[in-house]
Amino acid sequence: MARPEQVLLLEPQHELKFRGPFSDVVTTNLKLSNPTDRNVCFKVKTTAPRRYCVRPNSGIIDAGTSINVSVMLQPFDYDPNEKSKHKFMVQSMLAPPDMTDMEGVWKEAKPEELMDSKLRCVFEMPVENEKSHDMESNKMMSSSLLKSESSSLSAKSLSSTLDDGEVKKIMEECKRLQMEAQRLREENKQIREDDGLRMRKSNVMSSQHASVGMKKEEGLSARTVALILLFFVVGVIVGKLVL
């Protein structure tokens, strides 16, 4: 039995063009549009899986929407005399209304339910004065795609591993930790204030002790001088009496 005609619209339809130089990753885009009123499952396959990175390589296209697939050719030594034999195939089928497991749907799909389109790969080398510009644009495109994919995966993995109850617990724990930190800051502030008060009292007491000591020393010095004068006077009087 012949397979049904592809319902997805592909842009480009027949060729994926990769423009060199091929010393870095070269990216081209494939747009898949779903003009039907049914959701459509799709897969992107290639005859050279080690040479390409495809994002996304499978998924569901909602009715009346489209998706851009990025096809990244890995660096290699380009030989202009060698023709590319690499090919891609876009496989699709109408999504069941109650679908929950996409992998299971693909495994159970019947051959007459599958649709496919094939594209061949074409490698082109730019003229010399365009090489540097193309290299920079390819680098920027590949970098942005990898970053967006990484952030999307991180968000998805986080949302899939935490349910509402766990998120609520985490929020409550964060609130409790913030209150505990505030209480510790207040205690630390009170301790600093008490230490400052004790230091001020200690300084006052030290200054008082120093003042009393100085007064005592001054009193002792005055008494000593008075005694010396007294002895001197008595000595003078006794000396006159003796003479």
Side-chain angles (χ1 to χ4, degrees), residues 38-134:
R38 293 272 305 272
N39 293 348
V40 176
C41 302
F42 78 92
K43 274 186 178 182
V44 181
K45 300 180 178 181
T46 178
T47 56
R50 294 184 180 181
R51 299 285 297 275
Y52 298 90
C53 182
V54 182
R55 293 290 182 271
N57 58 6
S58 64
I60 299 175
I61 306 176
D62 293 336
T65 65
S66 60
I67 189 171
N68 283 319
V69 176
S70 297
V71 183
M72 290 168 272
L73 172 63
Q74 304 306 302
F76 72 103
D77 293 328
Y78 175 70
D79 183 358
N81 297 320
E82 182 182 351
K83 281 192 174 183
S84 171
K85 297 179 181 178
H86 302 168
K87 293 180 181 179
F88 276 82
M89 180 173 71
V90 178
Q91 200 169 43
S92 65
M93 67 176 174
L94 297 176
D98 55 348
M99 186 186 72
T100 55
D101 179 18
M102 189 165 65
E103 286 299 320
V105 169
W106 282 108
K107 288 179 181 178
E108 297 172 5
K110 299 175 182 178
E112 59 269 19
E113 296 174 337
L114 300 177
M115 300 165 278
D116 59 61
S117 300
K118 295 178 181 178
L119 303 95
R120 68 187 188 94
C121 298
V122 178
F123 300 153
E124 296 178 345
M125 284 297 289
V127 293
E128 197 66 29
N129 59 356
E130 294 180 356
K131 283 186 180 180
S132 59
H133 173 73
D134 287 344

Side-chain angles (χ1 to χ4, degrees), residues 193-221:
E193 290 176 354
D194 292 344
D195 288 343
L197 184 59
R198 281 197 293 271
M199 288 180 67
R200 287 195 293 273
K201 285 183 179 179
S202 176
N203 291 335
V204 170
M205 292 178 67
S206 299
S207 62
Q208 288 177 351
H209 288 315
S211 175
V212 170
M214 288 175 66
K215 287 180 180 178
K216 285 182 179 179
E217 289 177 0
E218 289 174 357
L220 289 172
S221 303

Side-chain angles (χ1 to χ4, degrees), residues 181-198:
Q182 180 65 25
R183 185 182 66 80
L184 291 173
R185 282 196 294 269
E186 291 176 356
E187 288 182 1
N188 192 24
K189 183 180 178 182
Q190 186 63 40
I191 290 170
R192 287 200 301 269
E193 290 176 354
D194 292 344
D195 288 343
L197 184 59
R198 281 197 293 271

